[in-house]
Amino acid sequence: MSAVQPNHGRGLNPDEGNATRRVIATVLFPWMTAKFLFKPRVGPSPKDRTLDRLAFWRSVVGLGVILIATSRYQDVWANIIRKAMETGRLALVLLPLPLLVIFFVTRSGHRKQLLPGVLLLVGRAVLALAFFYLPIVLIFAAAGELSFDSLANGEAQFQHDVDINASGAEALWLLAAVALVIALIPWFLCLWYCTIYWAARTGFWMADVHPLLAPIGTTGLMLLVSGQEIIAHDTNGVPDWLWLTLNLCGAATALVLAIFEFRHLRSTGYRFRNGPEPADMDADDTSSRGRHPVFQGLRGDPSG
């Protein structure tokens, strides 16, 4: 009879290997870095994940349709980035208004639940603004005198020539630093665009404060931006019928998806007056069942 020898070596845990690969991928791929830093959390239910996927594919399909339909009339990428930046800037300016509204609407006993979400929103907003302005600050700092006027006007002139004199080990370190900067430029440029995308799509992360602000606040912001564009008739060379169709279809699909998301959140138990945590739906169901004559009869109530 042979005895089984104990295995004293520590085997590789598949979960640890997957976690390590996810961490490496998050660092290497800028869109995954932006997703990790800026994407709001998704609820645990399958319907939450389905709605999140629908929102993603709506953005991807909408972007593809715009690229194909308007590429012959305008610089599509520049127009999309410009519109996303306008949406993000408008969301930042209007952000205090929904925060004040949700503060006054929420019952006094639940207002303290809003504080963690506000801190999370502020942290993400500060990080996004730092990523957005970092390349601009570096360019103006390298170009010459950095000032608020130069940042506001977007103008800078070189004040002096840069003289670099290095040899030996210093030259090798200098070349390595230059190569690292050149390699990081595409990575950071992609992260920059992804940061703009998440700031515009989430309305500067209003859902962090209260989940119901996501379908209401961000959709209202989208309708405001689209309404301004329609009133200004800013077609950028696109034919009127195509430009109006794209705007109306984009607004309609976003509005339909927001209605489904709002109804789902309401069914989950989220209410404005009860704070950002869902209400106890089971308790409500139990109390309503207790008042219903059918359930009274099942409990042996004589009146049933």
Side-chain angles (χ1 to χ4, degrees), residues 20-278:
T20 302
R21 285 192 291 270
R22 284 196 297 269
V23 171
I24 294 175
T26 302
V27 174
L28 291 179
F29 300 112
W31 54 89
M32 295 189 65
T33 305
K35 180 180 177 181
F36 173 76
L37 293 175
F38 300 123
K39 181 179 179 180
R41 63 181 179 89
V42 180
S45 70
K47 194 168 185 179
D48 290 321
R49 294 189 293 271
T50 300
L51 289 172
D52 181 69
R53 293 191 191 100
L54 286 176
F56 169 76
W57 284 111
R58 176 199 164 273
S59 301
V60 172
V61 173
L63 178 61
V65 170
I66 293 174
L67 287 173
I68 295 173
T70 64
S71 58
R72 58 179 296 187
Y73 304 108
Q74 62 175 352
D75 186 356
V76 181
W77 284 109
N79 185 47
I80 290 175
I81 294 300
R82 178 183 63 83
K83 191 171 182 178
M85 291 175 63
E86 290 178 358
T87 305
R89 180 166 55 247
L90 187 60
L92 179 61
V93 172
L94 297 178
L95 186 61
L97 179 60
L99 295 184
L100 288 175
V101 171
I102 198 66
F103 177 78
F104 285 112
V105 168
T106 304
R107 291 190 179 98
S108 59
H110 299 277
R111 287 174 183 168
K112 63 180 180 180
Q113 300 175 5
L114 300 172
L115 181 59
V118 172
L119 295 178
L120 181 59
L121 181 149
V122 171
R124 282 177 169 166
V126 169
L127 187 62
L129 291 174
F131 283 160
F132 178 79
Y133 281 108
L134 178 61
I136 301 176
V137 171
L138 292 178
I139 290 173
F140 281 119
E145 182 181 357
L146 180 65
S147 64
F148 288 105
D149 293 336
S150 62
L151 288 175
N153 299 327
E155 299 176 355
Q157 295 180 353
F158 285 96
Q159 302 295 326
H160 56 274
D161 296 331
V162 179
D163 184 16
I164 299 177
N165 186 11
S167 61
E170 293 181 357
L172 291 178
W173 282 108
L174 180 61
L175 289 176
V178 172
L180 180 61
V181 170
I182 294 175
L184 287 178
I185 286 177
W187 185 93
F188 189 85
L189 187 63
C190 183
L191 178 66
W192 192 74
Y193 285 126
C194 293
T195 302
I196 296 173
Y197 165 77
W198 283 114
R201 176 178 167 181
T202 60
F204 258 84
W205 300 278
M206 282 190 266
D208 287 337
V209 179
H210 197 292
L212 289 177
L213 286 179
I216 293 181
T218 56
T219 305
L221 180 65
M222 179 273 302
L223 293 176
L224 179 61
V225 173
S226 298
Q228 286 182 343
E229 187 172 340
I230 291 175
I231 293 174
H233 200 259
D234 187 13
T235 62
N236 290 320
V238 180
D240 291 345
W241 66 270
L242 179 59
W243 167 80
L244 186 60
T245 301
L246 292 175
N247 275 279
L248 294 180
C249 289
T253 53
L255 186 59
V256 170
L257 188 60
I259 291 173
F260 277 101
E261 184 179 359
F262 180 79
R263 289 172 60 88
H264 168 65
L265 291 172
R266 289 278 301 179
S267 66
T268 308
Y270 289 102
R271 301 291 187 272
F272 280 115
R273 294 185 59 80
N274 294 339
E277 298 297 328

Side-chain angles (χ1 to χ4, degrees), residues 4-11:
V4 178
Q5 298 295 326
N7 185 10
H8 298 288
R10 186 175 180 270

